[in-house]
Amino acid sequence: MRYSGLKVITEGLFGNKGWTPAWRDPAPKAEYDVVIIGGGGHGLSTAYYLAKNHGITNVAVLEKGYLGGGNVGRNTTIVRANYFLPGNSEFYSHSMKLWEGMEADLNYNVMHSQRGLINLFHSDGQRDAFVRRGNAMINQGDDAILLDRDGVRELLPYLDYDNTRFPIYGGLLHPRGGSARHDAVAWGYARGADQRGVDLIQNCEVTGIDVEGGVVKGVQTTRGAIRAKKVAIIVAGRSSQVAAMAGMRLPIESHILQAFVSEGLKPVINHVISFGMGHFYISQSDKGGLVFGGDLDFYASYAARGNLPMVEHVMEAGMTLMPMIGRAKVLRSWGGIMDMSPDGSPVIDKTHIEGLLLDCGWNYGGFKAVPASGWCMAHLMATGNSHEYASKFRLDRFATGHLLDEEGTGSQHNLH
Amino acid sequence: MRLTCPLCGERDRREFYYYGAEDYLHRPAEGASLAEWDNYLHLRDNPAGMTKDLWYHEAGCSQWLLVTRNTVTHAIAGVELVAERKTEQKAGRAK
Ligand SMILES: Cc1cc2nc3c(=O)[nH]c(=O)nc-3n(C[C@H](O)[C@H](O)[C@H](O)COP(=O)(O)OP(=O)(O)OC[C@H]3O[C@@H](n4cnc5c(N)ncnc54)[C@H](O)[C@@H]3O)c2cc1C
Ligand SMILES: [Zn+2]
């Protein structure tokens, strides 16, 4: 079924009785050409582009829970292309272009809103670093505008500009940055993949990976064994457990990241604002809730909930930046399990086992990457070669020293 | 979450700095292969369940601690001084 404004109106007039499920609920077949483990944003977009770009449709996505129940439905939805390292820059730039065409391509409203992202700076040194970043973004063909203090004040009059510890010197505005509705992104890719013949199989946990003579043969699941010519592990925070089923030890440590949403308010924050020095960022959803978060809890964890010290820290940072939000009530908080890599950048690569591929290490920034990750992973699976935009996301780069340390903090698990 | 430091007693999580998995205690010998260094520096078991990791009692006694804990429930099963462990290992080796 194609969605359109006309369809919404006619369905509304006739009691909304004509809607059909957005995807099928098939039983797993005994064999597929490709099995994708993980029905998050990256698994679903990989399935979609395998079908759309490469005509590979004998594909199953195996999800242990429900589609979109992982990080793709738990993140704070910032979409941006403001990376500067060669390797990251072109990848996120490509992702941004895919975002801009996503709704038309998927025939699905993902509420992508390019409301502008503003990263604040608080010193001369930080300004220099932001000028450099802005130039890198422009060189990549994307957009960046340096705002001085008055420029930021015009857009965000409600910030505390005279904070003694971090007075606001200005900000880097990324006009094409913004947000989107996270669930809709998962649902849109799921529907698009299903329409092209991909089987989306929920409540199907992969419990083993079958390897014979160095070649992948299929997977064991809670719904039986499934043979496959190729298997992709795309399970974000659970990457280490699933890779261990194939005897692999990954450069990943799983950490918890929390987020918060307030009660619904009238429109007040029109941009996405990031206050890096306070480890705080905020935007307002279309429903009116203030969506905000901070840093990791900073220890390895698989509890999809965080601890109180980080709750306190985030609230303090928010109050410091914009005291007005103190009057809003927090409605909910939650956590997601992040696949942290030592250098803060991802992996899209083959493994030493033939036919077994890996897409992981998205840290706390993999939502914006959903389209390009699927695009490049599908390319790798279909052609056997890395896509030019993902050619540096190698699994062996830690051993060889070809790191992608965007933050410049070092290649160690607790530094990103 | 609270950790019971063997020297200082039960303290708030904020007093401690988290360093990472126990792997850091097993530094390869000089001249070890690239694979061994990669294994030590980057590759992790990253278990969902019981794990051992290193914490530094930054706002307390400045000791390195080896904490046994559950990554799913955040329950703490034990906290040892790394220094004592090292002394034991040395004594063990001397025998
Ligand atoms: C609080 C928070 C805020 C964030 N904010 C942002 C942001 O503003 N911008 C941004 O770009 N990124 C953000 N992120 C990061 C982003 O959400 C993730 O990097 C990204 O969603 C991870 O990829 P995914 O969608 O495929 O993961 P997931 O949705 O977690 O998908 C993995 C799936 O694999 C399934 N799975 C696991 N094990 C198995 C198994 N054995 N068998 C079958 N299925 C299995 C899981 O159930 C899950 O559904 C944030 C994350 C969090 C938690
Ligand atoms: Zn102590």
Side-chain angles (χ1 to χ4, degrees):
Chain A
M1 178 191 293
R2 240 196 106 69
Y3 297 153
S4 68
L6 188 66
K7 181 84 190 152
V8 171
I9 293 167
T10 48
E11 282 301 325
L13 288 176
F14 298 103
N16 283 309
K17 294 204 179 81
W19 299 112
T20 53
W23 53 79
R24 298 164 295 133
D25 183 19
K29 291 194 274 182
E31 180 164 8
Y32 290 91
D33 290 339
V34 172
V35 157
I36 293 171
I37 311 174
H42 294 245
L44 293 168
S45 64
T46 300
Y48 175 77
Y49 291 118
L50 271 173
K52 184 181 177 224
N53 295 357
H54 304 282
I56 299 174
T57 55
N58 186 19
V59 176
V61 176
L62 310 182
E63 166 55 48
K64 74 170 174 182
Y66 59 95
L67 296 179
N71 290 333
V72 73
R74 292 168 176 266
N75 66 79
T76 44
T77 75
I78 302 177
V79 174
R80 57 187 167 91
N82 61 353
Y83 287 69
F84 72 54
L85 284 186
N88 280 335
S89 186
E90 57 268 41
F91 175 81
Y92 289 101
S93 181
H94 181 59
S95 208
M96 179 63 90
K97 288 174 196 123
L98 292 174
W99 275 103
E100 289 169 342
M102 186 189 291
E103 295 182 339
D105 186 31
L106 297 177
N107 174 230
Y108 206 90
N109 179 8
V110 302
M111 298 165 79
H112 181 218
S113 154
Q114 295 184 298
R115 57 187 67 181
L117 163 71
I118 299 174
N119 285 285
L120 300 170
F121 54 81
H122 313 272
S123 68
D124 292 332
Q126 221 189 348
R127 181 195 290 117
D128 291 348
F130 278 34
V131 169
R132 181 182 171 216
R133 182 170 294 273
N135 285 336
M137 290 158 69
I138 290 166
N139 283 341
Q140 183 58 49
D142 296 317
D143 61 342
I145 299 170
L146 194 75
L147 301 173
D148 62 9
R149 185 182 160 98
D150 288 340
V152 176
R153 200 192 284 271
E154 223 166 88
L155 297 176
L156 315 174
Y158 44 80
L159 302 184
D160 177 2
Y161 285 81
D162 302 313
N163 180 293
T164 38
R165 180 65 184 87
F166 296 116
I168 294 169
Y169 275 42
L172 187 65
L173 169 64
H174 174 31
R176 284 163 69 218
S179 70
R181 165 110 201 250
H182 48 18
D183 304 305
V185 174
W187 299 333
Y189 275 112
R191 174 170 165 269
D194 173 86
Q195 283 174 346
R196 284 168 175 78
V198 172
D199 282 358
L200 307 174
I201 299 163
Q202 306 184 61
N203 297 311
C204 181
E205 178 169 355
V206 171
T207 53
I209 297 178
D210 300 331
V211 180
E212 280 169 33
V215 182
V216 79
K217 296 290 176 191
V219 294
Q220 299 293 323
T221 80
T222 48
R223 295 178 68 174
I226 302 174
R227 291 189 303 280
K229 298 189 183 77
K230 283 184 183 161
V231 174
I233 302 175
I234 315 185
V235 294
R238 291 282 170 173
S239 297
S240 297
Q241 277 77 52
V242 177
M245 294 172 193
M248 292 170 65
R249 202 166 177 250
L250 296 184
I252 297 289
E253 195 171 89
S254 294
H255 281 247
I256 199 91
L257 180 69
Q258 302 193 58
F260 309 84
V261 66
S262 78
E263 59 192 327
L265 304 168
K266 288 184 178 171
V268 54
I269 297 177
N270 301 327
H271 302 82
V272 181
I273 305 168
S274 137
F275 171 36
M277 295 312 288
H279 307 292
F280 177 83
Y281 61 91
I282 188 165
S283 64
Q284 188 168 17
S285 79
D286 291 355
K287 259 195 297 188
L290 304 180
V291 180
F292 56 100
D295 225 326
L296 298 172
D297 272 31
F298 272 121
Y299 48 87
S301 170
Y302 285 88
R305 60 190 154 72
N307 245 304
L308 291 172
M310 193 45 75
V311 177
E312 188 176 62
H313 176 91
V314 170
M315 301 301 156
E316 284 170 355
M319 285 298 290
T320 297
L321 181 68
M322 43 178 89
M324 71 169 183
I325 64 170
R327 296 181 56 194
K329 292 188 183 67
V330 173
L331 206 59
R332 274 180 292 130
S333 75
W334 63 93
I337 304 163
M338 319 278 44
D339 35 334
M340 302 300 296
S341 69
D343 64 358
S345 292
V347 169
I348 299 181
D349 206 352
K350 301 177 196 172
T351 67
H352 69 285
I353 295 167
E354 201 182 312
L356 182 67
L357 296 96
L358 185 65
D359 178 311
C360 69
W362 294 99
N363 295 270
Y364 30 68
F367 180 63
K368 69 177 96 68
V370 162
S373 167
W375 185 281
C376 296
M377 186 66 176
H379 179 95
L380 177 63
M381 296 193 80
T383 67
N385 301 314
S386 281
H387 192 280
E388 57 171 323
Y389 296 141
S391 62
K392 296 203 163 59
F393 296 159
R394 297 281 305 267
L395 180 57
D396 68 359
R397 71 172 181 274
F398 305 99
T400 61
H402 293 86
L403 302 170
L404 279 170
D405 179 9
E406 183 79 21
E407 286 179 355
T409 43
S411 179
Q412 192 175 299
H413 282 288
N414 67 342
L415 295 181
H416 294 272
Chain B
M1 190 159 91
R2 293 166 80 80
L3 297 179
T4 304
C5 172
L7 299 183
C8 312
E10 191 183 314
R11 296 299 181 94
D12 188 276
R13 179 260 175 273
R14 276 169 284 201
E15 292 193 3
F16 302 88
Y17 166 75
Y18 169 80
Y19 188 57
E22 185 195 13
D23 300 58
Y24 284 122
L25 290 180
H26 310 299
R27 191 182 169 86
E30 230 178 287
S33 69
L34 207 62
E36 282 172 90
W37 281 106
D38 186 36
N39 198 39
Y40 163 72
L41 288 167
H42 305 123
L43 306 185
R44 294 292 175 259
D45 287 341
N46 192 24
M50 293 312 282
T51 193
K52 279 180 188 284
D53 44 27
L54 293 170
W55 298 67
Y56 178 61
H57 199 177
E58 194 174 30
C61 59
S62 303
Q63 285 293 313
W64 282 99
L65 308 174
L66 183 63
V67 178
T68 308
R69 63 184 184 98
N70 189 310
T71 56
V72 178
T73 62
H74 292 168
I76 312 288
V79 183
E80 309 162 57
L81 291 173
V82 171
E84 248 169 37
R85 223 179 122 89
K86 286 201 165 150
T87 326
E88 276 165 30
Q89 277 170 355
K90 268 188 202 140
R93 234 179 274 149
K95 267 177 227 160

